Amino acid sequence: MPELGLTLVSGRHHLDREIRWVVPTDMHDPRRYLSGGELVLTGMMWRRAETDSDTFVRNLIAAGVTALGAGDHPEFHSVPADLVDACALHDLPLFAVDADVAFAEITERIVQRLSVGRSGDLASLLDRHRRLIAADGIGQILELIRSELGMECMVLSPTGRPLRGGLELGETDRAAVVARAHAAERLPQKVTLDRHRCYSVFGIGSTLHTGRFLVTDDDHTRWPPERRLVAEQLAALLMLELDDPAVRPAPHVELVTALQEGRIDEHLMRSAGLPVGGGVTVIAAVGEPAALREVVVAETVAGVAGGGDPLEPPVAAWASHGDETIAVLAGPAGSAEERARLLEWSRHCAAVLGAAGLGGNGAVSVGLADPVRSPGGLCGALEQARHTAALAQPRPGGVDVAEPDHLVSHRMLLAAVPPDVSKAFRTRVLDPLLEYDARHRSDLVATLRRFLECDGSWRQCAASMHLHVNTVRYRMRRVEELTGRDLRNPLDRMDLALAVSLS
């Protein structure tokens, strides 16, 4: 465009860069008004000293501008050498603007050229939009991604379970992608697994950490805005398909509500699609946030009972009320083999979600009950699931799963003790040790915990902590002196073990 009156001063090797827009400015730091890809035009009114040029160019580089045009300053008949040097140093293409050409004319000509090109892109985009609206079903939407955007994709659950798509990702890679997506402040997110594999993760759902994910085998940060808009539209359509209300119909919620209120009958079970007389397992999840509890339970249920198509509603009823989420899983989970699969999937969910730190400041506890075979046994199963969930011991921000076998341990008794009583017991037993550790920067409590885990073996405890046996003996003597307990006495040792388990 020779009519613009631009003369290239430096940066010939960057003439293939695209110009997204034109921004005239004389601000020393115009970064807040730039978003990248601009041709910046300046009259250099910001220049008070030679060192100002380097600062100005640094600000432009930080904003990601394409090139700089300088001129139209009454004191300069050419571009100052310090500005030329700064652009060369920071590798920013520099143009000198002819004094007879107004910045407004340059802006108008380039914007006209950009508008012509974008009108063709807009027509193509509208055609794609019509095709997207006409798409029926998840399969057709994913096919549009493959044909229109030219890339493979996959829909993943919040725990990394593959739901649909042709993208080949192993279990380890899926877990890594999902963990990165959960940890991101916003989506889409670029995920690089190694030098040669780069993926983009788009959110499918109304919230960042509880929705599903659309994963593509391309880097969205290099896409033009129109291409990215198409991908976001496709993700929105997937959300509509996946969040079909039929996944959790009203009879399911009604069944769970009735179960919580202690009233259950065969009619409610049949309305929810659950068989009467078959194996039924109750799952209870408690803790914050509520949305994460739903994810854990829904993923647990879908992972076991989903059948051939993971997107089909499982044979289960589940709903959240207050700070509790309950699921009733029917079908094969009553057998020992399927029950093992249920427990394995629950722990998988806990590991993936816990590793991503999705519990916020709270924690999520999941409890399973023994299978029952009649509607009358559901209320008892719910109580068992609640007690089992109380035995789970998640870290802050984590997830833990407990099973009925845990009900035969001392943890069941501890769960039944009121929290204020448990706290008072723990405080009376361990506070002397905690105060001593804080004052002397010692590890009495940690050594006591390991000593008890090693069944009172001095040598095993010392080896596991890389200490001398005499060091362990000395620390345990201090524990006895401070707590008034004798580690050789089974009852005193039980007091210390219970206090440590509550800490």
Side-chain angles (χ1 to χ4, degrees):
M1 303 172 68
E3 69 275 11
L4 296 183
L6 299 177
T7 302
L8 182 65
V9 177
S10 66
R12 182 173 297 278
H13 56 295
H14 285 315
L15 289 180
D16 59 343
R17 287 185 176 180
E18 293 184 0
I19 294 174
R20 188 182 59 82
W21 206 243
V22 184
V23 177
T25 182
D26 277 311
M27 297 179 63
H28 193 253
D29 186 2
R31 285 178 293 178
R32 63 181 299 183
Y33 301 105
L34 302 171
S35 57
E38 296 92 350
L39 168 62
V40 172
L41 302 176
T42 181
M44 297 175 286
M45 300 299 293
W46 44 264
R47 188 179 181 275
R48 297 291 183 270
E50 292 184 359
T51 55
D52 291 343
S53 293
D54 186 77
T55 303
F56 180 72
V57 174
R58 284 178 181 271
N59 290 333
L60 298 186
I61 291 294
V65 303
T66 295
L68 172 65
D72 198 26
H73 193 289
E75 296 183 9
F76 303 122
H77 300 291
S78 62
V79 180
D82 49 272
L83 182 57
V84 175
D85 292 341
C87 289
L89 176 64
H90 298 293
D91 201 22
L92 179 66
L94 174 63
F95 293 90
V97 181
D98 192 295
D100 295 330
V101 180
F103 285 176
E105 182 179 354
I106 297 175
T107 302
E108 182 180 357
R109 294 292 185 92
I110 293 181
V111 169
Q112 286 177 350
R113 178 73 65 90
L114 291 173
S115 299
V116 171
R118 288 178 178 174
S119 63
D121 292 338
L122 181 60
S124 176
L125 181 63
L126 291 175
D127 178 64
R128 287 195 190 100
H129 184 71
R130 285 190 291 269
R131 295 178 62 188
L132 291 177
I133 295 300
D136 182 18
I138 296 171
Q140 287 190 21
I141 296 174
L142 297 183
E143 175 59 27
L144 277 171
I145 296 177
R146 190 189 65 80
S147 61
E148 291 296 326
L149 301 182
M151 56 193 175
E152 293 295 339
C153 63
M154 171 183 286
V155 177
L156 295 180
S157 75
T159 58
R161 180 166 54 89
L163 301 180
R164 188 73 69 83
L167 183 62
E168 294 185 3
L169 273 178
E171 181 177 347
T172 302
D173 290 341
R174 295 197 304 270
V177 168
V178 167
R180 288 283 301 277
H182 283 311
E185 294 183 358
R186 65 186 64 180
L187 295 177
Q189 174 77 8
K190 175 183 175 181
V191 176
T192 302
L193 297 183
D194 51 47
R195 290 184 178 181
H196 307 291
R197 293 187 300 160
C198 179
Y199 302 93
S200 293
V201 186
F202 292 80
I204 305 175
S206 56
T207 58
L208 177 63
H209 295 315
T210 60
R212 284 135 294 193
F213 303 107
L214 171 64
V215 183
T216 67
D217 60 347
D218 199 4
D219 179 5
H220 74 280
T221 63
R222 304 177 62 180
W223 295 353
E226 293 79 6
R227 181 183 178 89
R228 181 165 170 172
L229 178 59
V230 171
E232 291 173 347
Q233 287 179 326
L234 288 164
L237 286 179
L238 286 172
M239 180 185 69
L240 295 177
E241 291 288 340
L242 290 168
D243 288 344
D244 190 334
V247 173
R248 192 170 49 152
H252 288 191
V253 179
E254 184 180 357
L255 172 69
V256 173
T257 301
L259 179 58
Q260 288 182 306
E261 295 174 354
R263 52 179 183 85
I264 196 73
D265 55 37
E266 295 184 1
H267 172 72
L268 287 172
M269 291 190 66
R270 291 193 178 95
S271 297
L274 300 176
V276 178
V280 179
T281 300
V282 177
I283 306 171
V286 294
E288 293 295 338
L292 179 57
R293 295 196 309 275
E294 294 195 5
V295 170
V296 174
V297 175
E299 286 293 307
T300 300
V301 172
V304 176
D309 187 348
L311 292 176
E312 292 181 358
V315 185
W318 64 279
S320 288
H321 294 275
D323 63 349
E324 181 180 55
T325 297
I326 296 173
V328 182
L329 173 64
S335 68
E337 179 182 354
E338 294 300 328
R339 182 170 183 76
R341 290 182 56 204
L342 172 62
L343 185 60
E344 179 182 0
W345 186 260
S346 299
R347 287 172 174 162
H348 168 73
C349 293
V352 174
L353 294 172
L358 301 185
N361 295 324
V364 180
S365 302
V366 181
L368 283 68
D370 287 316
V372 296
R373 293 191 171 275
S374 67
L378 282 176
C379 293
L382 174 58
E383 289 305 312
Q384 186 187 41
R386 284 170 168 168
H387 281 296
T388 307
L391 300 182
Q393 297 178 330
R395 306 180 313 276
V399 185
D400 189 26
V401 179
E403 56 180 312
D405 289 346
H406 293 157
L407 291 173
V408 299
S409 75
H410 68 277
R411 295 169 64 187
M412 180 189 70
L413 298 177
L414 294 178
V417 177
D420 54 342
V421 177
S422 298
K423 181 179 180 180
F425 173 76
R426 181 183 69 247
T427 299
R428 288 180 178 274
V429 176
L430 292 187
D431 262 12
L433 303 182
L434 294 172
E435 291 174 1
Y436 184 91
D437 282 345
R439 188 166 59 251
H440 298 278
R441 297 184 179 181
S442 56
D443 295 308
L444 292 185
V445 175
T447 308
L448 172 63
R449 185 189 303 274
R450 184 59 57 87
F451 178 76
L452 295 171
E453 291 173 350
C454 295
D455 297 323
S457 169
W458 308 99
R459 294 188 179 278
Q460 186 178 349
C461 177
S464 64
M465 298 187 71
H466 306 288
L467 299 173
H468 194 278
V469 173
N470 288 340
T471 302
V472 176
R473 291 182 184 274
Y474 169 78
R475 291 182 181 179
M476 291 303 97
R477 282 199 301 270
R478 296 298 297 161
V479 168
E480 291 178 327
E481 293 171 0
L482 292 169
T483 62
R485 262 75 173 182
D486 184 353
L487 286 169
R488 294 168 296 180
N489 185 316
L491 295 179
D492 285 352
R493 186 183 292 186
M494 182 183 300
D495 285 345
L496 292 170
L498 291 175
V500 168
S501 68
L502 289 170
S503 62

